[in-house]
Amino acid sequence: MNIVWPLVLMVFYKGVASNGGGSTNVSTRPEFVNVGAVFSFNSIVGKVAKVAIEAAIEDVNSDPAVLGGTKMIVQMQDSNYSGFLGIVEALRFMEKDTVAIIGPQNAVTAHIICHIANELQVPLLSFSVTDPTLSSLQFPFFVRTTQNDLHQMAAVAAMIDHYGWKEVIALYVDDDYGRNGIAALGDMLAERRCKISYKAPLVLDPNQSNITDLLVKVALTESRIIVLHAYAHWGPQVFTVAKYLGMMGTGYVWIATHWLTTQIDTNSPLPSSMMDDMQGVLTLRMYTPETELKRKFVSRWSNLTTGQTSKGKIGLNAYGLYAYDTVWLLAHAINAFFDQGGNISFSNDSRLTQLRRGDLNLDAMSIFNGGNLLLRNILQVNMTGISGPVKFTPDRNLIHPVFEIINVIGTGIRKIGYWSNYSGLSVVPPEYTKPPNRSSSNQSLYGVIWPGQTTQKPRGWVFPNNGRHLKIGVPKHVSFREFVSYAEGNDMFTGYCIDVFTAALNMLPYAVPYKLIPFGDGVKNPRSTELVHKIRTGEFDGAIGDIAIITNRTRMADFTQPFIESGLVVVAPVRTTLNSNPWAFLRPFNPIMWGVTAAFFLIVGTVVWILEHRLNDDFRGPPKKQIVTILWFSFSTWFFAHRENTVSTLGRLVLIIWLFVVLIINSSYTASLTSILTVQQLSSSIKGLDTLLASNDPIGYQQGSFARGYLTDELNVDESRLVPLIMPDDYAKALRDGPQRGGVAAVIDERPYIELFLSSRCDFSIVGQEFTKSGWGFAFARDSPLSVDMSTAILKLSENGDLQRIHDKWLISSGCASQGAKLQVDRLQLKSFWGLFVLCGSACFLALIIFFINMLRQFSKHYTEEVISAGSSTSARLQTFISFVDEKEEEVKSRSKRRKMERMSNRSASEDESMYNSKRRHIDQSS
């Protein structure tokens, strides 16, 4: 069994030998640090790692500042693809008091050695094991110096969600590396409401026959999205077999994990035949930023690999970069360990001393006393290597995981974007100095050339080519067979719902093999909720028919776009009348409208009287006459028969606006009354759902309908009031009999049924409003892509008019069905006229304000002397003002003029008398 086995790098102090039961303690830095390594020299990862580690050791030893003058010497053993030899070599090095191990490379070996490391407290640093389960608390001494598969699978899940696929097939190697990686993929997909629909494990070292057998099974499944999680040395063989089986053509999507870019980077250029087999494949590569350190190392790489192998040049892959940095990471940690006074000391494990008998010599392994201190220093390293920043998160993963997304095209590859746990999918590397933007609009990738040399995104699924038909359940209805009808003899379904389903299928760009299976006993109507539940249990793949989309059903299956509107309505018996009621003339207005209209008649009459009282003789006289005038003037405006003339400007303004309001109200009243007295109307004691619920009368419903559950659970209707009905004739009989003769007061059912029922029965009608809103749709299994495609097809049928033509073919419409909307005569309400009343009220208010301002001005002008002579008492002034208001304006002006002339006459006589007296005194003085 050939596996790429681990590189095991042991660090131990030279001259420290295990001596039976003693312990050693060295307090100063050693002169040398011996490094042991065990890995497969000829593996794709190993041949690159060998060169990178040798270069790292040379660089560390050439820099005295790294280990304070201590040198590293490397011992290497070739495990030759043998996992057993790798474990044995690791155990042999542990006998030499090893303080740390760089490795292993393989997840299976790592799981075994981790238990030994935990016992001996020896840190493990692996630059190639990506198994996410090794980061658990079970293995505290395991340190991953490469990227975790948890992040790689998050990138794969993000790609699948980005392209809108919901199900994938996982093709993987059946070991710890493969199983645990695919388990992480399943978790990442579940977070995005996607899933692995089929898991296809391969043996550890498969041959062509193993691969062929498995791919044949994969080809018979529904999904066409295949994630390949394999090893680099045999992964390309899967593409070769897939191409032979026609699975690399149009419609397929292959996503390979980073093993493929490892193969391409290491052995580039690959043979043209191998590249032809993987055209259109998407793969990932661990991203390392372009830094000066990396550029220098890449420029050295050709010199470092010269003469390393006779099979051609060795390319540098990401594992080589991480292997180089791992040596530097350990060197920095050991240096910090010595700086903190750490000593390399070991003590015997009491449990191993019991195993002295035998040839395994296991008791020679000792516990590293400084293991915990060295582990802390490893996890606290913060440096910049050729792979980028090297620092660990609290969960012991490297910071800033980023993957390049690669598209295999022609003889090479093309980068179409990046994924990071910081910014998601993008066409540029993440910038950690800026806040992340994870919005869906910001998640983007460049275009892809898919298998089959097409740029159109594959649908991602097909109906499996295994001879299996979709099992579609159809309710076997007894009543309303216009919607769904089943013919026992020829096993055929017909009806409105069947035609819509067939027409939608014909709109799909692919064929759908299906079989319609009746559901129900043919005696009673089946419950649609039970039918949908059978989709959840897997008995049916879908369900079609008159299935209402309600909340509890959407929890069981996915529904298409509704193809007909629905909702619960109340139907009741009605009688036709001509409204010969002697009080029919009051019906055009509702009570509030009558009250507001009457109030405004009085208000406007009063306002006009106030404005005209001081100017117009028609609005003057004894109090009794004035009250009669107000009332007469107010209500005579309804007929435009008022005899009183208005002379004031403000009065005329108010009257014009009011007459306009009266004209509108009068016209509306006349039209409504005419309709009431001349058009036949439908009347019923049940006005809608509220009056039905308020009574204790029986309520009918269609047997098998969700209406029963809605009435009992949502509206708290007692079950004793509910009467199940089956046939339309049962509806009619129960409604005609009424509660007094064992019938029902009303029937509650979905609108399509009721409209069909009323199309030939005009003595019943819909009363009130529709009190639920829903629709009918087709149900399919959860996350079935068929529900989305069928929804699109139904929308197309609606847009091109085919849906309406199917409706007209099966569902007869007549005047009876539409009369329900007019059962309750629409009485004119205040809300239809409130704008007019506000306009009129505002005019009245404004006119009164102007009038009283003018009154106060006149009062102050003409009655100043009277107010002064009356004294300063408030009652006297108020009485004077009231007298002024009641007095006619002409009389006020006349009296004011007369008083003014009298004052002028008195002033002239006084002046004459004064002149006479002055002259008399002058004559007397002269005499």
Side-chain angles (χ1 to χ4, degrees):
M1 184 171 58
N2 293 330
I3 304 175
V4 181
W5 282 101
L7 161 69
V8 182
L9 181 61
M10 275 70 58
V11 181
F12 59 95
Y13 171 56
K14 181 183 178 184
V16 178
S18 58
N19 52 15
S23 65
T24 59
N25 190 339
V26 178
S27 59
T28 59
R29 288 177 182 259
E31 182 180 356
F32 297 100
V33 174
N34 292 323
V35 177
V38 55
F39 58 93
S40 178
F41 292 170
N42 293 323
S43 68
I44 293 176
V45 174
K47 62 184 179 182
V48 176
K50 179 176 181 294
V51 177
I53 290 172
E54 289 174 346
I57 295 297
E58 179 182 352
D59 294 343
V60 168
N61 288 335
S62 64
D63 188 354
V66 179
L67 288 174
T70 300
K71 300 295 183 181
M72 281 188 172
I73 299 176
V74 179
Q75 284 186 342
M76 293 189 183
Q77 296 294 331
D78 186 2
S79 63
N80 196 23
Y81 292 98
S82 173
F84 174 74
L85 291 179
I87 295 174
V88 169
E89 291 297 334
L91 292 175
R92 288 178 58 188
F93 280 116
M94 283 191 173
E95 293 177 357
K96 301 176 182 179
D97 294 341
T98 302
V99 298
I101 298 175
I102 299 179
Q105 176 185 330
N106 182 273
V108 177
T109 309
H111 275 278
I112 298 174
I113 299 180
C114 277
H115 292 285
I116 303 173
N118 290 348
E119 180 70 21
L120 302 181
Q121 298 183 13
V122 177
L124 304 180
L125 293 87
S126 176
F127 61 86
S128 58
V129 174
T130 58
D131 182 357
T133 63
L134 288 168
S135 295
S136 64
L137 298 176
Q138 182 184 5
F139 307 114
F141 282 85
F142 178 84
V143 180
R144 192 193 319 274
T145 58
T146 187
Q147 297 298 343
N148 193 331
D149 261 352
L150 194 67
H151 297 133
Q152 178 177 214
M153 297 308 173
V156 174
M159 295 165 57
I160 291 169
D161 184 54
H162 174 71
Y163 290 113
W165 301 315
K166 293 299 181 182
E167 296 184 2
V168 302
I169 296 172
L171 189 62
Y172 60 96
V173 59
D174 193 12
D175 65 357
D176 291 335
Y177 158 75
R179 286 190 301 268
N180 297 332
I182 293 303
L185 175 61
D187 294 339
M188 295 297 106
L189 288 173
E191 292 180 2
R192 299 174 179 270
R193 289 200 64 186
C194 304
K195 67 177 181 179
I196 299 175
S197 61
Y198 182 71
K199 292 183 179 181
L202 275 167
V203 296
L204 301 185
D205 194 13
N207 54 36
Q208 183 172 346
S209 177
N210 300 138
I211 298 173
T212 302
D213 292 342
L214 191 62
L215 289 183
V216 169
K217 296 178 182 178
V218 170
L220 296 178
T221 61
E222 179 178 295
S223 177
R224 286 295 180 260
I225 314 300
I226 304 173
V227 177
L228 180 58
H229 191 46
Y231 287 117
H233 65 280
W234 57 261
Q237 189 178 0
V238 175
F239 295 126
T240 302
V241 177
K243 185 176 181 180
Y244 174 77
L245 296 176
M247 298 175 66
M248 297 299 297
T250 303
Y252 280 90
V253 175
W254 287 83
I255 301 176
T257 51
H258 54 57
W259 65 264
L260 180 55
T261 51
T262 302
Q263 170 76 268
I264 294 173
D265 293 340
T266 306
N267 298 324
S268 182
L270 296 177
S272 59
S273 59
M274 184 181 294
M275 294 299 296
D276 289 343
D277 292 340
M278 59 181 71
Q279 291 297 299
V281 172
L282 294 180
T283 184
L284 300 173
R285 174 195 283 154
M286 290 180 284
Y287 171 73
T288 53
E290 297 296 328
T291 61
E292 186 63 26
L293 285 175
K294 180 181 176 181
R295 283 191 289 269
K296 289 181 179 179
F297 187 77
V298 171
S299 64
R300 292 172 54 194
W301 186 252
S302 59
N303 295 329
L304 292 173
T305 56
T306 301
Q308 289 289 333
T309 177
S310 59
K311 297 181 179 180
K313 68 175 185 177
I314 303 173
L316 177 60
N317 58 44
Y319 287 117
L321 302 178
Y322 285 116
Y324 180 90
D325 283 347
T326 301
V327 176
W328 276 91
L329 169 66
L330 182 58
H332 283 297
I334 293 175
N335 185 60
F337 174 81
F338 288 136
D339 288 343
Q340 296 171 12
N343 293 321
I344 300 178
S345 62
F346 297 87
S347 59
N348 292 334
D349 190 336
S350 60
R351 286 175 290 188
L352 292 177
T353 57
Q354 301 175 8
L355 303 175
R356 288 184 179 180
R357 295 186 302 274
D359 298 331
L360 291 178
N361 203 26
L362 295 177
D363 60 321
M365 295 185 291
S366 304
I367 298 175
F368 179 30
N369 297 326
N372 285 298
L373 178 60
L374 180 58
L375 178 63
R376 285 197 300 270
N377 281 287
I378 291 173
L379 296 176
Q380 292 173 3
V381 168
N382 185 2
M383 72 177 199
T384 300
I386 60 176
S387 63
V390 179
K391 184 180 179 181
F392 294 97
T393 62
D395 56 358
R396 295 180 301 160
N397 288 317
L398 289 178
I399 62 171
H400 302 163
V402 184
F403 288 87
E404 299 175 73
I405 303 174
I406 306 296
N407 186 201
V408 179
I409 304 174
T411 58
I413 59 176
R414 173 174 171 262
K415 189 184 304 180
I416 63 170
Y418 301 84
W419 176 91
S420 72
N421 65 346
Y422 185 75
S423 57
L425 297 174
S426 63
V427 294
V428 295
E431 299 182 32
Y432 295 96
T433 58
K434 297 180 180 180
N437 185 354
R438 300 298 295 269
S439 63
S440 57
S441 60
N442 196 55
Q443 305 294 296
S444 60
L445 296 172
Y446 289 121
V448 179
I449 304 297
W450 303 100
Q453 299 296 315
T454 177
T455 58
Q456 183 178 0
K457 185 196 75 173
R459 187 171 68 247
W461 67 278
V462 296
F463 286 99
N465 186 22
N466 54 8
R468 177 180 176 272
H469 288 65
L470 290 180
K471 295 181 292 184
I472 306 296
V474 185
K476 192 176 179 182
H477 271 299
V478 179
S479 59
F480 297 105
R481 296 169 64 88
E482 290 84 354
F483 295 104
V484 177
S485 177
Y486 176 66
E488 295 282 356
N490 53 15
D491 198 28
M492 293 287 292
F493 285 93
T494 57
Y496 168 71
C497 299
I498 304 301
D499 281 5
V500 172
F501 176 72
T502 305
L505 282 182
N506 293 334
M507 299 289 291
L508 300 181
Y510 50 86
V512 180
Y514 68 94
K515 182 179 180 181
L516 300 181
I517 302 174
F519 174 74
D521 57 10
V523 178
K524 296 187 298 183
N525 289 330
R527 295 183 59 192
S528 296
T529 302
E530 293 180 0
L531 174 59
V532 176
H533 180 71
K534 289 188 177 296
I535 300 176
R536 187 177 187 177
T537 59
E539 185 172 341
F540 291 133
D541 299 306
I544 65 172
D546 46 351
I547 304 173
I549 305 173
I550 57 177
T551 304
N552 64 331
R553 294 175 186 172
T554 58
R555 299 189 183 103
M556 305 176 190
D558 286 345
F559 280 84
T560 63
Q561 171 82 14
F563 57 86
I564 188 173
E565 292 184 358
S566 181
L568 293 178
V569 294
V570 179
V571 62
V574 295
R575 63 180 184 273
T576 304
T577 66
L578 283 173
N579 284 313
S580 57
N581 191 306
W583 300 101
F585 68 90
L586 294 176
R587 295 187 60 188
F589 292 164
N590 64 6
I592 297 178
M593 182 64 182
W594 277 117
V596 173
T597 303
F600 261 83
F601 273 113
L602 296 176
I603 292 171
V604 171
T606 304
V607 170
V608 173
W609 176 82
I610 293 173
L611 299 175
E612 295 289 324
H613 178 67
R614 302 185 70 247
L615 300 174
N616 195 337
D617 289 335
D618 291 338
F619 293 88
R620 297 186 64 82
K624 182 177 180 180
K625 178 184 177 183
Q626 295 184 48
I627 293 175
V628 172
T629 300
I630 293 174
L631 295 175
W632 164 255
F633 180 82
S634 299
F635 292 102
S636 62
T637 55
W638 175 270
F639 310 101
F640 304 96
H642 53 285
R643 296 175 300 177
E644 294 78 8
N645 293 324
T646 52
V647 296
S648 67
T649 302
L650 293 175
R652 290 175 176 176
L653 175 64
V654 170
L655 185 59
I656 288 174
I657 295 176
W658 173 242
L659 291 177
F660 173 73
V661 174
V662 169
L663 176 64
I664 301 299
I665 294 175
N666 196 9
S667 302
S668 302
Y669 174 86
T670 303
S672 180
L673 182 61
T674 301
S675 175
I676 290 172
L677 295 178
T678 59
V679 179
Q680 290 186 349
Q681 301 292 325
L682 301 177
S683 63
S684 172
S685 59
I686 302 297
K687 304 302 181 184
L689 180 64
D690 293 337
T691 58
L692 180 61
L693 296 179
S695 69
N696 291 319
D697 295 333
I699 302 173
Y701 70 94
Q702 184 182 168
Q703 186 269 326
S705 170
F706 76 95
R708 177 187 178 89
Y710 182 85
L711 291 172
T712 56
D713 298 338
E714 301 295 333
L715 302 181
N716 299 318
V717 177
D718 192 273
E719 290 192 11
S720 61
R721 295 181 57 190
L722 302 181
V723 179
L725 304 171
I726 299 179
M727 303 299 293
D729 291 340
D730 298 338
Y731 285 28
K733 183 178 184 303
L735 290 171
R736 290 192 183 101
D737 291 345
Q740 295 78 14
R741 292 185 292 174
V744 297
V747 171
I748 292 180
D749 205 350
E750 296 180 69
R751 179 175 285 276
Y753 298 126
I754 296 302
E755 289 181 346
L756 185 61
F757 170 75
L758 296 178
S759 63
S760 58
R761 297 171 178 87
C762 295
D763 51 342
F764 309 103
S765 181
I766 297 174
V767 294
Q769 301 296 321
E770 185 175 336
F771 55 92
T772 65
K773 289 290 185 181
S774 63
W776 290 356
F778 304 134
F780 296 95
R782 277 286 190 183
D783 300 321
S784 171
L786 192 59
S787 61
V788 178
D789 292 348
M790 287 291 285
S791 295
T792 304
I794 290 172
L795 290 175
K796 290 181 180 178
L797 291 175
S798 178
E799 292 171 357
N800 62 23
D802 288 345
L803 196 61
Q804 185 61 45
R805 282 188 285 272
I806 297 173
H807 180 277
D808 296 341
K809 171 186 174 182
W810 288 99
L811 307 180
I812 304 171
S813 61
S814 70
C816 297
S818 62
Q819 287 178 359
K822 299 298 182 183
L823 174 63
Q824 179 67 30
V825 177
D826 291 333
R827 308 179 74 181
L828 298 177
Q829 301 179 10
L830 178 62
K831 63 182 180 181
S832 302
F833 301 94
W834 70 270
L836 292 172
F837 287 121
V838 169
L839 176 64
C840 184
S842 301
C844 293
F845 179 76
L846 182 62
L848 289 175
I849 292 296
I850 297 174
F851 173 77
F852 282 112
I853 291 174
N854 189 40
M855 286 289 297
L856 291 174
R857 185 178 61 81
Q858 292 182 10
F859 180 74
S860 62
K861 178 179 179 182
H862 300 294
Y863 271 72
T864 304
E865 294 180 1
E866 287 79 351
V867 172
I868 295 175
S869 63
S872 58
S873 63
T874 304
S875 61
R877 293 182 179 182
L878 181 60
Q879 186 176 1
T880 304
F881 180 73
I882 293 175
S883 300
F884 170 75
V885 171
D886 185 60
E887 194 172 5
K888 192 173 181 180
E889 186 174 348
E890 293 180 357
E891 296 177 357
V892 173
K893 291 181 178 179
S894 176
R895 184 171 58 254
S896 177
K897 184 176 180 181
R898 187 166 55 252
R899 290 177 179 175
K900 183 177 181 181
M901 293 179 63
E902 289 177 354
R903 286 196 299 269
M904 292 177 63
S905 176
N906 292 335
R907 189 183 306 115
S908 177
S910 176
E911 289 177 356
D912 291 343
E913 184 178 357
S914 176
M915 289 179 62
Y916 173 79
N917 292 333
S918 176
K919 289 180 179 180
R920 185 68 180 266
R921 286 195 301 270
H922 180 69
I923 294 172
D924 290 342
Q925 290 175 359
S926 298
S927 300

